[in-house]
């Protein structure tokens, strides 16, 4: 199949590279000339495990090409995926200006039947707007269909998520669109859910909001655990074995971040409002998440009494492991809070250091966890990178001014660290230390 993907961001580039790997001919289009040049040279615009190799293979085998020309993309393909950004406006709504601009350009270059597929996360009813816009700007009367094919991939495991998703959702409203998309995804051998376009659009926002709700739920339980002396890890295990609940996304921590959950939650609250429904449940999810980010500062304050003048080491800056992405990372707000209180902050992240320079210019960036620990009054773990799970704790303790660990991702065994002589504070793991 001839495919073009418009927008070479986190979703678009993975989608294009994966379709090319499945044997299709893919043209990746992006209006960022620098990014396209970079991709042509084989350099990735962001870190995603396995992506560089996949892109290199696609290019080598002439199935994957890059261009800044939308016209070329439209002319060379039957299926056009729109994967441009839908950033957040100041009122929380998704900004659809890029999507609309792409729709107008597609209309101008259309030459024969095309299937135009929304891949970007968009509010319900966007598909119909898209169809109307294309119709309005069409130069000659060419047939086309619009479909919705929301993406569920996660940063850090994006390729695996694309190749082996739990399900593929196809929002289609014509036989031709259904057949084209079905034949594209059939080789993956995974469940395919076919719906109308609006339902597919809703599935995406509903899924991300539901997962955010699970995280805020367990974070609220973590707060209760701290107040009554229970352990949230054990509670999550006990709850998660119930198939109706499931263990995943029940990891208590410093709150959810990234460019998807916070933004999609805001957008969904706004969409509901516009549809005349006050989605109070999601407002509570947002509130709990904000409070959760503040809890690290509270824990530090309680353990150190005064933060001013203290040196605090941070392990992990990315919003989750296996990515260099720091957009809406809880680490940013937490560190800004510590700095406001007068702490000196040192930090290390295995991938996000180049990003950290922009997001946290006053933080001292270190080479490794041990440099972070040197003369620190406390260490805070904010991202659960595997390499932080086993450290030379005796060395850390020798380097630190005070052996205090605030484990914001519950990666350590409290008893083990206490036996090694650390003061340990996790999230929702028994009562906090006595005052
Ligand atoms: C999320 C969804 O999981 C994907 O299905 C979706 O396609 C994507 O958003 C998107 O809309 O593009 P992603 O943002 O890459 O993917 O990351 P997640 O693994 O979902 O984690 C999001 C945040 O939740 C992270 O900050 C993570 O640390 C936090 N989290 C996750 C928890 O605090 N606890 C958990 O149990 C799970």
């Amino acid at each position: 199949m001839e495919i073009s993907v418009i927008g070479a961001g986190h979703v678009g580039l993975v989608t294009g590279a994966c379709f090319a790997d499945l044997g299709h001919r893919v043209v990746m289009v992006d209006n960022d000339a620098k990014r396209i040049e970079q991709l042509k040279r084989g350099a990735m615009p962001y870190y995603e495990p396995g992506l560089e190799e996949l892109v290199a293979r696609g290019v080598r085998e002439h199935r994957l090409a890059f261009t800044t020309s939308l016209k070329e993309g439209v002319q060379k393909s039957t299926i056009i995926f729109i994967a441009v950004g839908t950033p957040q406006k100041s009122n929380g709504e998704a900004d659809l200006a890029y999507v609309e601009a792409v729709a107008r350009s597609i209309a101008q270059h259309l030459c024969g039947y095309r299937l135009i597929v929304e891949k970007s996360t968009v509010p319900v009813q966007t598909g119909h707007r898209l169809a109307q816009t294309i119709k309005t700007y069409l130069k000659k009367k060419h047939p086309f269909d619009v479909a919705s094919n929301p993406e569920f991939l996660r940063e850090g495991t994006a390729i695996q998520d694309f190749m082996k998703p739990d399900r593929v959702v196809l929002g289609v409203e014509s036989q031709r669109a259904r057949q084209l998309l079905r034949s594209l995804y059939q080789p993956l051998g995974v469940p395919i859910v076919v719906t109308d376009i609006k339902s597919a659009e809703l599935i995406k926002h509903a899924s991300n909001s539901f997962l955010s709700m699970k995280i805020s739920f367990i974070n609220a339980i973590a707060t209760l655990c701290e107040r009554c002396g229970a352990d949230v890890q054990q509670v999550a295990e006990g709850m998660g074995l119930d198939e109706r609940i499931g263990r995943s996304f029940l990891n208590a921590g410093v709150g959810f971040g990234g460019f998807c959950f916070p933004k999609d939650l805001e957008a969904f609250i706004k969409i509901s409002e516009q549809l005349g429904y006050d989605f109070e449940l999601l407002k509570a999810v947002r509130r709990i998440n904000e409070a959760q980010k503040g809890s690290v500062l509270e824990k530090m304050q309680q353990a150190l009494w005064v933060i001013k003048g203290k040196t605090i080491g941070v392990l992990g800056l990315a919003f989750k492991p296996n990515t260099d992405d720091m957009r809406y990372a809880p680490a940013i707000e937490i560190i800004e809070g510590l700095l406001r209180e007068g702490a000196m902050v040192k930090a290390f992240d295995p991938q996000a250091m180049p990003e950290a320079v922009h997001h946290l210019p006053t933080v001292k960036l270190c080479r490794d966890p041990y440099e972070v620990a040197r003369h620190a009054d406390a260490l805070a773990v904010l991202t659960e990178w595997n390499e932080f799970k086993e450290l030379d704790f005796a060395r850390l303790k020798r380097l630190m001014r005070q052996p205090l660990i605030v484990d914001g991702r519950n990666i350590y065994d409290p008893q083990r660290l206490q036996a090694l002589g650390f003061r340990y504070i996790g999230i929702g793991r028994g009562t906090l230390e006595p005052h």
Side-chain angles (χ1 to χ4, degrees):
M1 202 99 71
E2 312 286 324
I3 296 170
S4 66
V5 181
I6 302 169
H10 284 269
V11 170
L13 189 54
V14 170
T15 304
C18 287
F19 277 136
D21 212 54
L22 290 171
H24 302 287
R25 290 164 80 88
V26 180
V27 182
M28 290 287 328
V29 184
D30 201 296
N31 61 6
D32 181 345
K34 222 171 110 198
R35 175 163 290 204
I36 290 296
E37 272 319 303
Q38 198 185 350
L39 283 164
K40 281 183 177 168
R41 285 198 317 271
M44 295 302 105
Y46 56 86
Y47 173 71
E48 179 64 45
L51 185 60
E52 197 169 336
E53 294 79 351
L54 208 65
V55 168
R57 187 156 64 227
V59 172
R60 202 171 48 238
E61 295 174 8
H62 305 291
R63 288 194 305 270
L64 186 60
F66 301 97
T67 179
T68 51
S69 161
L70 195 125
K71 182 176 173 193
E72 186 185 334
V74 173
Q75 288 179 344
K76 285 189 176 163
S77 54
T78 310
I79 307 183
I80 304 166
F81 285 94
I82 303 181
V84 295
T86 51
Q88 192 172 319
K89 289 206 248 179
S90 55
N91 66 356
E93 260 176 49
D95 186 346
L96 297 172
Y98 298 123
V99 175
E100 195 260 358
V102 165
R104 277 191 280 127
S105 305
I106 291 176
Q108 270 155 20
H109 300 301
L110 221 58
C111 45
Y113 176 82
R114 296 292 183 272
L115 170 59
I116 298 123
V117 189
E118 322 165 321
K119 204 53 161 155
S120 314
T121 300
V122 289
V124 61
Q125 295 170 335
T126 300
H128 290 94
R129 292 265 191 198
L130 208 57
Q132 270 167 9
T133 306
I134 296 172
K135 233 179 250 161
T136 309
Y137 289 91
L138 215 53
K139 274 197 171 155
K140 275 194 206 144
K141 218 171 174 314
H142 291 293
F144 72 92
D145 278 312
V146 164
S148 163
N149 169 219
E151 188 48 66
F152 301 102
L153 53 82
R154 291 162 294 179
E155 288 179 29
T157 52
I159 291 165
Q160 189 184 318
D161 289 344
F162 186 94
M163 294 295 191
K164 275 266 155 265
D166 291 342
R167 81 306 202 185
V168 165
V169 173
L170 305 178
V172 288
E173 284 170 11
S174 84
Q175 199 52 30
R176 197 168 181 180
R178 174 197 289 250
Q179 265 162 7
L180 274 172
L181 285 177
R182 256 193 183 282
S183 64
L184 197 58
Y185 281 105
Q186 212 94 56
L188 295 182
V190 299
I192 296 179
V193 182
V194 181
T195 69
D196 58 85
I197 295 177
K198 287 182 204 161
S199 303
E201 291 167 335
L202 266 186
I203 287 171
K204 171 68 189 187
H205 268 123
S207 300
N208 272 6
S209 302
F210 189 86
L211 292 170
S212 311
M213 180 184 74
K214 264 188 112 172
I215 301 169
S216 276
F217 186 89
I218 202 67
N219 282 335
I221 299 294
T223 301
L224 287 184
C225 288
E226 285 167 7
R227 298 198 182 170
C228 70
D231 184 336
V232 74
Q233 301 280 96
Q234 295 176 25
V235 177
E237 289 307 322
M239 287 172 64
L241 283 171
D242 184 328
E243 271 184 24
R244 294 168 303 173
I245 298 173
R247 175 65 181 83
S248 64
F249 280 71
L250 284 185
N251 295 318
V254 294
F256 56 78
F259 203 57
C260 300
F261 282 180
K263 173 172 81 82
D264 290 355
L265 189 64
E266 283 304 327
F268 206 30
I269 290 172
K270 208 70 201 169
I271 293 164
S272 311
E273 199 178 294
Q274 283 159 356
L275 294 172
Y277 179 68
D278 183 5
F279 214 145
E280 284 176 279
L281 177 62
L282 296 187
K283 290 181 180 169
V285 168
R286 176 174 65 185
R287 214 165 41 240
I288 293 168
N289 198 50
E290 286 310 308
Q292 200 63 17
K293 287 188 266 179
S295 75
V296 172
L297 184 61
E298 280 167 30
K299 288 179 164 69
M300 283 287 179
Q301 219 140 24
Q302 189 176 330
L304 293 172
W305 186 28
V306 170
I307 291 194
K308 191 167 183 191
K310 299 277 162 47
T311 300
I312 295 179
V314 170
L315 299 182
L317 298 169
F319 82 99
K320 63 180 228 175
N322 302 319
T323 176
D324 57 356
D325 199 346
M326 281 188 68
R327 291 175 299 174
Y328 296 93
I332 298 176
E333 263 182 63
I334 294 168
I335 291 174
E336 281 171 352
L338 291 167
L339 293 171
R340 259 195 315 274
E341 288 295 317
M344 208 287 265
V345 179
K346 305 161 80 177
F348 169 74
D349 185 283
Q351 287 293 338
M353 302 303 257
E355 288 297 306
V357 177
H358 309 296
H359 289 281
L360 298 162
T362 58
V363 167
K364 181 176 180 329
L365 300 175
C366 300
R367 274 190 318 265
D368 59 38
Y370 303 99
E371 197 186 332
V372 172
R374 189 181 299 277
H375 305 311
D377 294 283
L379 273 186
V381 178
L382 301 184
T383 316
E384 67 277 33
W385 284 94
N386 271 340
E387 62 188 271
F388 298 152
K389 291 182 181 162
E390 265 311 322
L391 293 169
D392 180 346
F393 290 107
R395 187 172 161 207
L396 276 190
K397 186 162 173 268
R398 274 198 311 276
L399 288 167
M400 292 177 74
R401 203 177 280 146
Q402 302 187 48
L404 167 66
I405 291 191
V406 175
D407 180 2
R409 296 290 185 172
N410 289 347
I411 61 173
Y412 301 126
D413 174 4
Q415 265 121 39
R416 179 171 172 226
L417 285 205
Q418 275 153 3
L420 288 166
F422 285 91
R423 290 166 73 194
Y424 174 90
I425 301 174
I427 304 283
R429 308 187 88 176
T431 37
L432 297 180
E433 295 180 317
H435 293 257

